Amino acid sequence: MDATRPLILLSNDDGFQAKGLRILRDALAEIGDVVVAAPETEQSVSSHALTLTRPLRLRDHGAGIFSIDGTPADCVYVALNAGQRVLPRRADIVVSGINHGLNLGTDVFYSGTVAAAREGALRGYRALAASSGGADLEKAAVVVRQLVLGLLEEPPSPVLLNVNFPPGSSWPVRATRLGERVYTDAVDFRLDPRRNEYLWLGGPGAEHRPRPGSDTEAYDAGAVGVTPLVLDLFAAKDAVVAERVVGRAV
C-alpha cells in the first residue's frame, strides 16, 4: 500500500460479501488504499453491540479484505486496535456501507451500518455511513466517494456523517438533520408446526412526519441527505429534570 494515499477502513452490517460494500470498495480505491473489516454474515439492526461473552474469529480473505464473526462495531474495534494485523498504519477515515436499506431518523439508534462508523468516530476518526433505499449503487458510490474526499479535507478529529440515497441514479445533495420516521409497531405471535409459539417484531411499514430540513424530507424529495450525528448524548435541556429528580430522592 502507498503511504502517500489516504487509508480508508471500510465496513458494513450486510456482511463482507455484500454488493453495496464491494461496489463502494471499488469506488473508494480510486482515491485511497481500502481495507475491509466487515461481518462474516449479515448483522442488520445490531446497533452498537460489542461481543464480550465469546471469542471472535478474524479471517483474512486476501487483497485487504477481512471478516469477523461478530457485529459491525466489533469489526471496526478489531481493525483499529489490532496493531498491523488488519491496518498497515493509522486509518485516515472510517466508512460504512453502502447499506442495503435506509437509515433515516431514529433508525440510527438501531443501525449496524451507522454503529460501524460511530465506532470509528468514538475512537477519534472522521467517519461516514451510507445507506440506500433502492438507489443505483454504482452512482451512489461515486457520490459517497466525493463526500469522503470532502470529509478528508476536514481536520482529523471525530465527526460522524450519516448519508441516505433515495431511488434513482442522479440526486441533489443536501445537508440535513434527523427526521421523524415512524414505524408501525407490532408483535406478531405465531405457532410453528409443532404448536410451539414464536414471534416476529415490527409492523409492515413506516411513515415520515413533516420536519423541515430533515433527512426524511430530503429522501421524500428525491435528494441525498447528509446528516451530522452527535457522539455526546448528554441532554442539556433535561439537566434541570435530573436535578429535580435527585432533589426528591435525597
Side-chain angles (χ1 to χ4, degrees):
M1 291 188 174
D2 186 348
T4 66
R5 305 181 80 210
L7 179 59
I8 302 166
L9 174 60
L10 177 60
S11 191
N12 71 353
D13 73 358
D14 291 317
F16 78 103
Q17 294 180 310
K19 180 179 180 181
L21 181 141
R22 295 199 314 269
I23 290 173
L24 184 54
R25 176 176 177 262
D26 290 343
L28 294 177
E30 296 186 17
I31 63 169
D33 293 332
V34 183
V35 174
V36 170
E40 191 166 278
T41 59
E42 183 178 349
Q43 298 290 319
S44 296
V45 203
S46 58
S47 190
H48 207 115
L50 289 176
T51 302
L52 303 178
T53 57
R54 66 171 179 86
L56 295 172
R57 296 190 185 276
L58 172 68
R59 293 181 172 86
D60 184 347
H61 302 276
I65 300 174
F66 296 84
S67 68
I68 297 168
D69 62 338
T71 67
D74 286 334
C75 296
V76 174
Y77 180 99
V78 169
L80 297 180
N81 291 284
Q84 294 186 337
R85 287 289 302 273
V86 178
L87 295 170
R89 61 186 188 277
R90 179 180 171 86
D92 294 288
I93 192 168
V94 177
V95 179
S96 181
I98 298 172
N99 187 59
H100 299 172
L102 296 168
N103 283 300
L104 296 165
T106 53
D107 292 347
V108 299
F109 287 96
Y110 303 97
S111 168
T113 302
V114 174
R118 187 190 299 116
E119 181 66 20
L122 287 172
R123 298 189 177 279
Y125 294 81
R126 293 162 289 194
L128 182 148
S131 302
S132 164
D136 180 318
L137 292 176
E138 303 239 356
K139 297 295 178 61
V142 172
V143 176
V144 174
R145 184 175 66 206
Q146 292 305 115
L147 293 171
V148 168
L149 281 171
L151 188 51
L152 285 169
E153 292 295 317
E154 294 294 318
S157 57
V159 62
L160 174 58
L161 299 181
N162 184 45
V163 182
N164 282 278
F165 288 86
S169 59
S170 179
W171 316 268
V173 182
R174 302 179 184 176
T176 52
R177 57 173 294 181
L178 283 181
E180 193 169 358
R181 182 169 169 86
V182 182
Y183 287 89
T184 304
D185 293 324
V187 179
D188 185 6
F189 290 92
R190 303 180 185 182
L191 295 177
D192 67 23
R194 297 186 179 181
R195 310 300 295 172
N196 296 310
E197 188 175 72
Y198 68 97
L199 58 91
W200 285 100
L201 300 183
E207 66 176 23
H208 297 164
R209 294 179 179 168
R211 180 172 288 180
S214 66
D215 57 358
T216 48
E217 180 187 65
Y219 177 83
D220 291 340
V224 175
V226 179
T227 306
L229 302 180
V230 298
L231 301 176
D232 180 358
L233 296 180
F234 173 69
K237 70 180 182 62
D238 292 327
V240 65
V241 175
E243 292 170 1
R244 289 200 300 264
V245 171
V246 168
R248 296 183 189 117
V250 296

